[in-house]
């Protein structure tokens, strides 16, 4: 049973990896799931997750790209649908149909290419493929999210009558408009809409000469809005038919909701499936960034990470165009513990963290940046003691806290444990603390646990040399420049280069000699011997330059291939953008074609203009959403420009800003609260309509020929509802 504590996850910076993966997810549910990733409890589930991620990663390199799996969250719609006798609106059904279609496409795809993606096919096979949900919705709702005319015989008949009556209204209104316009009774705008009715814009001085019902007047009182007497009868008839249409649509939506309700558990499963695929895709994209692979998972007690990279460090250095040095680690039954020594800032802690983080990522279903011949087995526990361990909450010193931690290690440590301890034994008297650390190390050794520790203590280096199944290791240092080489070498302890580093930093040679006399001669000789051995090893390293030059040539060829791959990816992205643009154009074209067909049938120009206005409003709202991110970027850029301008320009802008604030304070009036029945117009429009319904921050505005859903803050009050 795998048990890994929150402390271990934090010590190894696992949440940082999760945050990166979460940012790659496309959906909100996927982002939340990515942040909740933890190591798997059983091997079977882990292997499924690893194979699914590996298969998705392979799709980036072959011609069988996995279809889009993005979706709109339908959690609220499903909660509402679960309430008996409730019913959803048409846009909710459109979302449900879309998510059903997306799932069906994926299920069919994984069935077709099950040879390429066996693990993903197994996962998808657990989800039912059905077209019944889409069929039920498409019988009622068209591709634009509107109720179809033939959704029911009653609705079809009602809408036919409405079209007929609208024709009569427009005809009678047109006669009156021509008549009174010729007499010069009308204002320049000629007509408008009031309370969902088409009215004449009559100059106030002629209002008694125009026969009809006065529906209101302009703010200044210069215009009277009059519905001609000839259209009154037809307008009332149209209102009755609109009410009947609304009632029939409600009945249809209730029936459709009732028909979809049995599919509620399946729709929950659909959303879970798509969000899981979103997380798998994000893990695959992350693996692509860090060159992650799936190493061999073995039952043999062996951890072998060849050419391993710390993923967080690798991505940070990649962003800065800096080199990240790979390390190779091997732990086996006959080499269970590695004691890493050497000077500070040589990369000991990063090496330690690399092993822990890579093992943790692998056991959480992620691919890791190692050589393809790497292999490892699965640990039940990963125990860590890394970083500043002073416990402020418990008022414990660093050493007391570390002892408490070691006590926990002693309780939990066994042959299925990986322990990682940084600066082992520090925090107390070097002699006493070193002796206690030596006893702890012996205990972990006898329990056959795997572990890596870093230390400066000579007694721990000696112990590692004496124990048959433990080994020393050191981080190479250049003996001339005393700069770290970031290379881990197994089989030899590392010198701390204490006196060499002190001499390099300008400490007088006489003082260094006095310091050497203060400590045991044997210890100095031991440290000196280690330093000499390291220098010899460094010389041997230089003899392998020729071989590395050949390796660098191979890497250059690899980089060229990477450049070609990146260009291909860019082309694919540009093709995708072009495809999306074409799809949008086709969508608008279909809409215009439908409108043109309607106009061809009824020759109604007002309907034609109304439908065009509706399309423009919808597209504008989409553009506003799409440009939200660009707007944020522009704001950041503006702030940077403001910092660079001169003090004089700043003062001028402040004065202008103060004037604008004063002007705004004088002009601004309290905005009236809009109610159902009030007559309103868009802030940037002339057409006046009446509010039919208010829901949350939006209002349904009726302009007579059509209705439109508009945000309340975009509406301008014209006149209150007449009782």
């Amino acid at each position: 049973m795998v048990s890994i504590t929150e402390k271990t996850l934090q010590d190894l910076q696992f949440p940082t990896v999760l945050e990166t993966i979460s940012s790659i997810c496309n959906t909100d549910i996927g982002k939340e799931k990515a942040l909740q990733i933890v190591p798997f409890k059983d091997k079977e589930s882990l292997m499924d997750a690893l194979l699914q991620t590996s298969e998705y990663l392979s799709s980036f390199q072959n011609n069988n790209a996995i279809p889009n799996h993005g979706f709109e969250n339908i959690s609220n719609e499903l909660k509402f649908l679960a309430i008996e006798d409730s019913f959803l609106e048409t846009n909710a059904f459109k979302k449900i149909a879309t998510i059903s279609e997306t799932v069906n496409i994926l299920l069919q795809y994984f069935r077709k290419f099950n040879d390429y993606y066996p693990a993903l096919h197994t996962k998808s096979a657990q989800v039912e493929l059905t077209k019944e949900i889409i069929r039920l919705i498409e019988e009622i709702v068209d591709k634009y999210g509107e109720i179809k005319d033939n959704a029911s015989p009653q609705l079809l008949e009602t809408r036919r009558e409405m079209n007929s009556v609208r024709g009569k209204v427009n005809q009678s209104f047109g006669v009156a408009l021509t008549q009174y316009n010729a007499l010069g009774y009308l204002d320049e705008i000629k007509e408008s809409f009031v309370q969902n009715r088409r009215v004449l814009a009559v100059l106030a001085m002629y209002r008694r000469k125009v026969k009809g019902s006065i529906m209101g007047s302009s703010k200044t009182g210069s215009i009277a809005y009059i519905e001609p007497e000839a259209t009154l009868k037809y307008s009332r008839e149209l209102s009755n038919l609109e009410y009947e249409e609304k009632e029939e649509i409600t009945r249809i939506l209730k029936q459709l909701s009732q028909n979809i309700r049995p599919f509620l558990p399946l729709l929950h499963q659909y959303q879970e499936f798509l969000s899981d695929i979103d997380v798998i895709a994000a893990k695959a994209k992350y693996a692509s960034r860090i060159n992650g692979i799936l190493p061999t998972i073995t039952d043999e007690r062996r951890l072998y990470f060849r050419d391993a990279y710390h993923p967080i460090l690798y991505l940070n250095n990649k962003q800065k165009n800096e080199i990240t040095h790979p390390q190779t680690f091997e732990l086996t039954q006959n080499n269970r513990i590695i004691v890493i020594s050497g000077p500070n800032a040589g990369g000991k802690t990063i090496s330690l963290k690399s092993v822990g983080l890579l093992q943790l990522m692998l056991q959480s279903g992620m691919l890791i940046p190692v050589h393809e011949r790497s292999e490892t087995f699965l640990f039940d526990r990963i125990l860590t003691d890394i970083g500043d361990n002073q416990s402020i909450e418990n008022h414990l010193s660093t050493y007391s806290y570390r002892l408490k931690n070691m006590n926990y290690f002693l309780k939990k440590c066994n042959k299925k444990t990986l322990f990682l301890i940084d600066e082992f034994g520090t925090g107390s008297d070097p002699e006493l603390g070193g002796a206690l650390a030596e006893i702890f190390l012996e205990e972990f050794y006898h329990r056959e646990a795997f572990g890596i520790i870093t230390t400066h203590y000579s007694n721990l280096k000696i112990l590692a040399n004496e124990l048959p199944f433990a080994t020393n290791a050191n981080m190479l240092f250049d003996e001339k420049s005393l700069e770290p080489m970031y290379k881990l070498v197994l089989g030899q302890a590392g010198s701390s280069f204490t006196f060499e580093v002190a001499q390099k930093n300008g400490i007088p040679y006489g003082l260094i000699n006095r310091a050497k006399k203060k400590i045991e001669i044997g210890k100095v000789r031991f440290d000196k011997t280690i330093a000499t051995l390291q220098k010899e090893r460094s010389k041997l390293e230089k003899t392998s330059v020729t071989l590395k030059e050949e390796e660098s040539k191979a890497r250059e060829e690899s980089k060229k291939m990477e450049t070609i791959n990146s260009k291909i990816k860019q082309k694919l992205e540009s093709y995708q953008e072009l495809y999306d643009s074409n799809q949008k154009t086709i969508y608008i074209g279909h809409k215009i074609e439908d409108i043109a067909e309607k106009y061809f049938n009824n020759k109604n120009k007002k309907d034609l203009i109304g439908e065009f206005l509706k399309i423009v409003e919808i597209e504008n709202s989409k553009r506003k959403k799409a440009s939200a991110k660009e707007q944020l970027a522009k704001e950041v850029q503006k702030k940077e420009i403001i910092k660079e301008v001169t003090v004089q320009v700043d003062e001028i802008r402040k004065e202008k800003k103060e004037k604008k604030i004063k002007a705004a304070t004088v002009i601004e009036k309290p905005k009236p609260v809009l109610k159902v029945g009030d007559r309103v117009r868009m802030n940037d429009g002339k057409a006046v309509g009446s509010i039919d319904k208010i829901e949350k921050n939006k209002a349904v505005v009726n302009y007579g020929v059509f209705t439109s859903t508009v945000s309340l803050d975009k509406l301008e009050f014209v006149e209150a509802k007449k009782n």
Side-chain angles (χ1 to χ4, degrees):
M1 187 71 175
V2 178
S3 175
I4 296 174
T5 64
E6 182 64 29
K7 177 186 179 301
T8 296
L9 300 178
Q10 293 292 338
D11 281 351
L12 297 174
Q13 295 176 278
F14 188 63
T16 303
V17 174
L18 297 188
E19 284 168 11
T20 305
I21 292 173
S22 176
S23 68
I24 302 172
C25 290
N26 293 326
T27 65
D28 292 337
I29 299 177
K31 290 178 188 295
E32 290 172 13
K33 279 190 174 182
L35 293 174
Q36 303 303 318
I37 292 174
V38 291
F40 284 86
K41 301 290 184 185
D42 61 282
K43 185 177 179 180
E44 186 180 353
S45 301
L46 170 61
M47 291 309 300
D48 287 342
L50 286 170
L51 290 170
Q52 287 161 13
T53 306
S54 184
E55 287 174 7
Y56 205 108
L57 177 63
S58 70
S59 73
F60 300 153
Q61 276 82 43
N62 61 39
N63 295 324
N64 300 314
I66 294 172
N68 169 54
H69 48 77
F71 66 96
E72 285 189 77
N73 191 337
I74 58 169
S75 298
N76 291 332
E77 285 80 1
L78 295 182
K79 285 178 186 176
F80 196 68
L81 189 62
I83 301 169
E84 198 64 33
D85 295 329
S86 64
F87 69 94
L88 301 177
E89 296 296 333
T90 53
N91 60 335
F93 285 117
K94 195 67 182 168
K95 284 165 70 174
I96 290 171
T98 302
I99 202 172
S100 300
E101 188 175 1
T102 302
V103 171
N104 283 348
I105 290 170
L106 275 173
L107 297 182
Q108 290 169 334
Y109 177 83
F110 289 132
R111 281 184 186 179
K112 183 178 179 181
F113 296 104
N114 63 328
D115 291 339
Y116 289 93
Y117 311 112
L120 288 168
H121 172 254
T122 303
K123 181 177 180 63
S124 67
Q126 299 167 8
V127 182
E128 180 188 345
L129 189 154
T130 177
K131 296 186 178 180
E132 185 63 15
I133 297 171
I134 300 169
R135 186 189 66 77
L136 288 169
I137 294 172
E138 286 185 347
E139 283 180 355
I140 304 301
V141 183
D142 65 17
K143 59 185 176 182
Y144 308 118
E146 303 291 339
I147 299 292
K148 289 183 176 180
D149 291 347
N150 60 353
S152 76
Q154 178 63 41
L155 183 64
L156 182 62
E157 182 60 31
T158 302
R159 286 184 172 175
R160 279 176 179 169
E161 289 181 23
M162 286 171 67
N163 286 334
S164 175
V165 173
R166 282 197 185 101
K168 292 175 183 177
V169 168
N170 291 331
Q171 185 180 5
S172 59
F173 187 87
V175 172
L177 180 68
T178 304
Q179 178 187 348
Y180 292 118
N181 188 45
L183 293 170
Y185 294 169
L186 304 183
D187 185 66
E188 288 180 0
I189 63 172
K190 296 182 183 178
E191 62 175 290
S192 184
F193 283 93
V194 177
Q195 295 178 17
N196 198 27
R197 294 190 181 184
R198 197 176 174 191
V199 293
L200 296 171
V202 181
L203 294 169
M205 65 183 77
Y206 301 117
R207 68 180 179 218
R208 297 185 182 276
K209 295 186 178 183
V210 177
K211 293 181 180 180
S213 175
I214 298 177
M215 305 297 291
S217 61
S218 63
K219 286 182 180 179
T220 58
S222 61
I223 301 171
Y225 299 116
I226 300 174
E227 184 175 17
E229 190 175 42
T231 64
L232 279 169
K233 173 187 172 184
Y234 299 124
S235 294
R236 292 192 190 101
E237 188 178 347
L238 185 60
S239 296
N240 292 336
L241 289 170
E242 285 172 347
Y243 177 78
E244 289 178 16
E245 179 196 33
K246 188 177 177 182
E247 289 294 304
E248 180 60 15
I249 286 173
T250 301
R251 188 196 67 75
I252 292 167
L253 291 175
K254 283 182 178 179
Q255 184 60 49
L256 181 57
S257 299
Q258 193 65 27
N259 293 339
I260 296 296
R261 196 166 279 121
F263 295 100
L264 199 57
L266 184 60
L267 290 170
H268 277 292
Q269 190 183 17
Y270 279 0
Q271 188 160 259
E272 280 297 302
F273 173 70
L274 289 179
S275 57
D276 285 346
I277 295 294
D278 191 24
V279 175
I280 292 167
K283 288 196 287 188
K285 290 171 186 173
Y286 182 71
S288 179
R289 291 183 185 180
I290 63 173
N291 301 320
I293 62 150
L294 174 56
T296 303
I297 307 294
T298 177
D299 292 328
E300 182 186 344
R301 279 169 55 78
R302 186 188 187 214
L303 182 152
Y304 177 56
F305 288 155
R306 177 179 167 184
D307 295 339
Y309 291 89
H310 190 289
I312 300 171
L313 180 66
Y314 176 78
L315 289 180
N316 287 341
N317 285 348
K318 191 176 179 182
Q319 196 172 7
K320 298 174 187 174
N321 291 321
E322 294 178 2
I323 298 171
T324 307
H325 300 277
Q327 310 287 1
T328 297
F329 307 92
E330 184 173 16
L331 294 169
T332 65
Q333 181 64 22
N334 297 328
N335 183 36
R336 298 194 292 270
I337 297 174
I338 297 175
V339 177
I340 305 176
S341 50
N344 291 325
K348 299 193 301 295
T349 303
I350 286 293
S351 297
L352 181 87
K353 284 185 174 182
S354 295
V355 176
L357 181 57
L358 294 179
Q359 186 69 30
L360 200 56
M361 287 170 62
L362 191 67
Q363 293 194 204
S364 301
M366 302 174 204
L367 308 184
I368 57 175
V370 294
H371 190 276
E372 59 186 8
R373 291 185 183 174
S374 300
E375 64 178 62
T376 186
F377 73 106
L378 304 177
F379 294 95
D380 285 351
R381 282 192 178 85
I382 300 175
L383 303 174
T384 57
D385 189 353
I386 299 170
D388 183 10
N389 294 305
Q390 190 163 15
S391 175
I392 297 171
E393 298 87 352
N394 299 318
H395 307 287
L396 297 176
S397 68
T398 300
Y399 192 61
S400 298
Y401 186 87
R402 300 199 79 161
L403 286 176
K404 190 175 180 182
N405 214 23
M406 286 304 103
N407 189 36
Y408 178 77
F409 277 35
L410 291 171
K411 288 177 183 177
K412 302 294 182 182
C413 202
N414 57 39
K415 67 191 306 181
K416 291 188 176 180
T417 302
L418 173 66
F419 67 87
L420 305 163
I421 307 173
D422 191 28
E423 300 294 348
F424 193 26
T426 56
S428 181
D429 179 272
E431 297 295 329
L432 303 179
L436 195 56
E438 199 172 323
I439 297 302
F440 288 146
L441 186 57
E442 286 178 349
E443 187 65 26
F444 298 148
Y445 176 85
H446 291 308
R447 294 190 187 187
E448 297 188 18
F450 278 22
I452 300 176
I453 68 169
T454 68
T455 187
H456 289 288
Y457 282 11
S458 297
N459 64 316
L460 295 178
K461 300 177 192 177
I462 294 169
L463 179 63
N465 196 48
E466 292 172 349
L467 294 171
F469 302 142
T471 185
N472 277 299
N474 71 86
M475 304 301 297
L476 280 185
F477 242 60
D478 188 300
E479 75 276 6
K480 291 182 180 178
S481 66
L482 291 177
E483 294 294 331
M485 295 170 69
Y486 301 107
K487 290 182 181 178
L488 181 71
V489 179
L490 296 176
Q492 181 184 311
S495 168
S496 296
F497 286 96
T498 306
F499 297 123
E500 288 87 346
V501 172
Q503 190 175 339
K504 186 193 174 188
N505 283 281
I507 304 300
Y509 190 72
L511 293 179
I512 293 171
N513 273 337
R514 283 168 61 187
K516 287 180 180 179
K517 291 176 184 177
K518 290 284 184 182
I519 59 174
E520 297 174 18
I521 296 170
K523 191 173 182 182
V524 174
R525 288 176 65 191
F526 175 72
D527 201 61
K528 186 178 180 181
T529 302
I530 291 173
T532 305
L533 287 170
Q534 278 190 247
K535 289 175 183 178
E536 290 298 322
R537 184 179 287 276
S538 181
K539 288 176 183 177
L540 289 173
E541 285 283 326
K542 290 176 182 177
T543 62
S544 64
V545 171
T546 307
L547 291 172
K548 289 192 176 179
E549 283 177 356
E550 293 295 325
E551 188 180 347
S552 67
K553 287 179 182 178
R555 282 183 182 173
E556 283 175 6
E557 291 297 323
S558 176
K559 283 181 182 178
K560 287 179 183 178
M561 293 302 295
E562 284 179 6
T563 305
I564 293 168
N565 282 337
S566 67
K567 287 180 180 178
I568 291 169
K569 284 182 181 179
Q570 286 174 2
K571 283 186 178 180
L572 285 172
E573 287 172 1
S574 63
Y575 285 141
Q576 184 63 45
E577 288 175 5
L578 182 62
Y579 173 80
D580 292 341
S581 176
N582 288 342
Q583 287 296 105
K584 182 179 176 182
T585 306
I586 291 166
Y587 168 78
I588 295 173
H590 281 314
K591 276 219 152 191
I592 292 171
E593 188 178 355
D594 289 347
I595 295 167
E597 188 177 353
K598 286 181 183 178
Y599 177 73
F600 181 82
N601 292 332
N602 57 27
K603 301 297 182 184
N604 190 327
K605 288 185 179 178
K606 197 66 185 179
D607 280 358
L608 181 68
I609 294 167
E611 289 292 337
F612 272 121
L613 282 172
K614 191 173 181 182
I615 291 172
V616 170
E617 287 179 358
I618 291 169
E619 290 302 313
N620 282 343
S621 67
K622 287 179 181 177
R623 284 194 185 95
K624 286 177 183 176
K625 288 178 182 177
S627 63
K629 290 182 181 178
E630 294 178 4
Q631 190 63 32
L632 283 172
K634 286 179 181 177
E635 289 297 325
V636 172
Q637 194 177 6
K638 284 180 183 177
K639 287 179 182 178
E640 290 176 354
I641 292 169
I642 289 170
K643 287 178 182 178
E644 295 174 2
V645 295
T646 59
V647 177
Q648 278 187 329
V649 175
D650 278 338
E651 289 175 358
I652 292 167
R653 285 183 177 177
K654 284 178 184 177
E655 289 176 9
K656 286 183 178 180
K657 195 172 181 182
E658 287 173 4
K659 288 178 183 179
K660 285 182 180 178
I661 292 168
K662 288 178 183 178
T665 308
V666 175
I667 295 166
E668 191 175 352
K669 294 181 181 178
K671 196 171 182 179
V673 178
L674 299 176
K675 298 176 183 176
V676 175
D678 288 349
R679 285 184 291 128
V680 293
R681 68 159 62 92
M682 295 279 287
N683 290 335
D684 54 351
K686 293 183 179 180
V688 178
S690 60
I691 297 176
D692 276 0
K693 186 167 48 174
I694 296 177
E695 290 180 353
K696 294 183 180 177
N697 299 334
K698 294 186 177 180
V700 177
V701 181
N702 199 322
Y703 293 96
V705 176
F706 65 93
T707 60
S708 178
T709 303
V710 186
S711 180
L712 285 170
D713 55 2
K714 292 181 181 177
L715 292 174
E716 178 183 350
F717 177 79
V718 176
E719 189 176 52
K721 177 184 177 182
K722 287 194 173 182
N723 296 325

